[in-house]
Amino acid sequence: MVKCSPAALDRTFAALADPTRRGILEHLATGDRCVTDLARPYRMSLPAVSKHLRVLESAGLVRRQRDGRVHRLKLEAKPMQQAQAWIEEYRKFWEEKFNRLDDYLKQLQNKQIK
């Protein structure tokens, strides 16, 4: 099993659970953005967007750089990579179970044909 901090995974999945935060991450995937650029597509105040950004920062999904009054944000992939690795372990587990079930069903089918 992949060794990930349960608290870090909890923060990552909690941050990703919100569609606004996922949208912000999509925008950041194309490059660094300032807060006003990230807020533009949403019908919410800058303080509301800032709350979403703080959740993303506490999960380690974004990093903020201040240049005077301008705050630029950058996507950080490591927490998502850890979450993906955790999910991948379970995908492998279930894929193996389904493959065994498929083999068993094929055996049963072959017995019925004979």
Side-chain angles (χ1 to χ4, degrees):
M1 273 299 188
V2 174
K3 301 287 186 204
C4 294
S5 160
L9 278 175
D10 289 348
R11 285 190 301 271
T12 299
F13 286 124
L16 294 173
D18 184 86
T20 299
R21 291 192 285 267
R22 290 192 307 269
I24 290 170
L25 292 175
E26 285 180 38
H27 284 94
L28 289 172
T30 63
D32 299 358
R33 299 272 190 268
C34 67
V35 175
T36 53
D37 287 345
L38 291 170
R40 195 168 288 123
Y42 304 101
R43 292 181 178 200
M44 61 179 72
S45 65
L46 281 176
V49 171
S50 290
K51 285 182 181 181
H52 284 291
L53 293 173
R54 282 193 295 277
V55 171
L56 292 169
E57 282 181 284
S58 72
L61 293 165
V62 298
R63 187 176 62 209
R64 184 183 303 246
Q65 183 178 2
R66 291 175 181 88
D67 186 19
R69 291 178 54 166
V70 177
H71 293 223
R72 295 200 61 79
L73 291 114
K74 176 184 178 102
L75 180 65
E76 292 292 328
K78 187 174 180 179
M80 283 190 282
Q81 290 168 340
Q82 291 173 338
Q84 190 276 332
W86 184 84
I87 290 169
E88 181 65 15
E89 289 293 322
Y90 285 94
R91 186 197 61 78
K92 288 177 187 175
F93 170 82
W94 284 109
E95 192 172 270
E96 184 180 309
K97 296 287 185 194
F98 287 131
N99 286 340
R100 279 198 233 145
L101 176 60
D102 187 48
D103 292 343
Y104 176 71
L105 293 174
K106 285 177 183 174
Q107 288 175 3
L108 286 178
Q109 192 174 34
N110 288 337
K111 285 181 183 178
Q112 288 177 351
I113 293 174
K114 292 180 181 181

